[in-house]
Amino acid sequence: NSTFSLFYSVENVAETFLDFNELIPHTLSMDNNESSRLVESKTFFDWKKKKASLWETNIHKKKGEKKKQISWKIDSYTQNVISALYYLRAFTLKPGKKFAFRVSDDGKNYVFKGTVLRQEMLKTEVGKLDTLVIRPEFQLAGSFKPSGENLIWVTNDDRKMIVRIESKVKIGTLVAKLKKLVRPE
C-alpha cells in the first residue's frame, strides 16, 4: 500500500528450492528490505548429515551491521518457512482435518500444525474459486513471527494452489493474494 509505505516500507522476497520427488527443501534465500533495516539470509539443508546451516547479514540504520552463522540438527522431511506452505498440499485436506509436520528456521525446530476450518467460495482477481481455509499453528520468531490469527486459502481440488494468506503481525495484517492462475492444458 503506497500510503502505508510512507510510514513503514516493506519489500521482502523469499525463494526456496526443493526436491520434487522427496518434497524436502535444499535452500532458502530471504532478502528483507524494510524502512530501518536490510537482512539477507541463506539457509542450506544437508540431508546426508541431517543438518541445516544459516548465514545472515543484518544491517540496521541505527544499530549497524551484524552477521550470524549457525548450524543445527534437523529431522527427516523438515521444511523451511516457505516450503511448509507447499508441503501442506501433500495432505488430504477436508473440513475438520488436522495435520502436523516439522519446520526449521533460524537454528530452531518447530512443529507446524494446521486445521482445515471450512470450505469457502472466494472471490479473487481470477474469478470465484472453491477453496479450503486452513488455520496454521506455529511458533516462529523473526520476520515470520505471528501475533494473531493466520489463515491460508487453498483451492479445493487436486492442485491445492495457495490463493490467499492472511497473517496478523505487530504492525497490522499482511495479505498475499493470487493475481494470476495458469491452468494446465
Side-chain angles (χ1 to χ4, degrees):
N1 179 310
S2 58
T3 304
F4 180 76
S5 292
L6 294 173
F7 302 102
Y8 193 85
S9 175
V10 177
E11 185 177 337
N12 295 347
V13 176
E15 180 177 68
T16 189
F17 288 94
L18 35 128
D19 183 295
F20 178 79
N21 294 317
E22 294 290 320
L23 293 177
I24 52 175
H26 290 287
T27 64
L28 172 63
S29 299
M30 296 194 341
D31 295 314
N32 301 335
N33 184 353
E34 299 177 9
S35 287
S36 60
R37 68 185 185 118
L38 296 169
V39 180
E40 180 180 291
S41 69
K42 308 280 185 232
T43 305
F44 296 92
F45 293 81
D46 182 337
W47 291 104
K48 288 181 182 168
K49 294 180 181 176
K50 294 229 173 133
K51 181 174 138 181
S53 299
L54 166 80
W55 292 267
E56 180 178 278
T57 301
N58 188 333
I59 303 169
H60 193 277
K61 281 185 178 179
K62 294 181 182 173
K63 298 176 185 175
E65 180 178 317
K66 287 191 339 190
K67 291 187 179 251
K68 175 169 48 170
Q69 182 178 345
I70 56 174
S71 293
W72 67 100
K73 289 284 189 189
I74 55 173
D75 291 320
S76 298
Y77 297 99
T78 294
Q79 300 298 308
N80 62 47
V81 294
I82 300 300
S83 70
L85 296 171
Y86 295 92
Y87 187 71
L88 71 85
R89 296 164 61 189
F91 292 86
T92 300
L93 302 176
K94 59 184 181 184
K97 171 84 174 193
K98 293 179 184 268
F99 56 89
F101 55 87
R102 296 177 189 96
V103 174
S104 191
D105 183 57
D106 199 19
K108 295 180 179 72
N109 295 306
Y110 305 94
V111 175
F112 179 104
K113 297 177 183 176
T115 303
V116 182
L117 299 177
R118 64 187 176 272
Q119 187 174 342
E120 180 178 304
M121 288 301 289
L122 183 67
K123 287 183 182 178
T124 72
E125 290 187 29
V126 299
K128 280 188 179 181
L129 296 173
D130 182 18
T131 66
L132 295 168
V133 182
I134 300 166
R135 181 179 55 232
E137 300 166 26
F138 49 94
Q139 301 295 317
L140 294 177
S143 300
F144 294 95
K145 182 178 182 178
S147 64
E149 185 173 58
N150 298 289
L151 297 172
I152 301 168
W153 284 257
V154 299
T155 56
N156 189 15
D157 57 18
D158 291 342
R159 295 173 74 187
K160 299 178 199 143
M161 292 183 49
I162 298 167
V163 296
R164 184 178 178 90
I165 300 172
E166 287 184 11
S167 183
K168 306 270 191 222
V169 293
K170 286 190 288 188
I171 58 172
T173 301
L174 298 175
V175 178
K177 299 180 202 176
L178 174 73
K179 289 190 167 229
K180 182 178 177 183
L181 181 63
V182 179
R183 299 201 187 271
E185 295 181 25

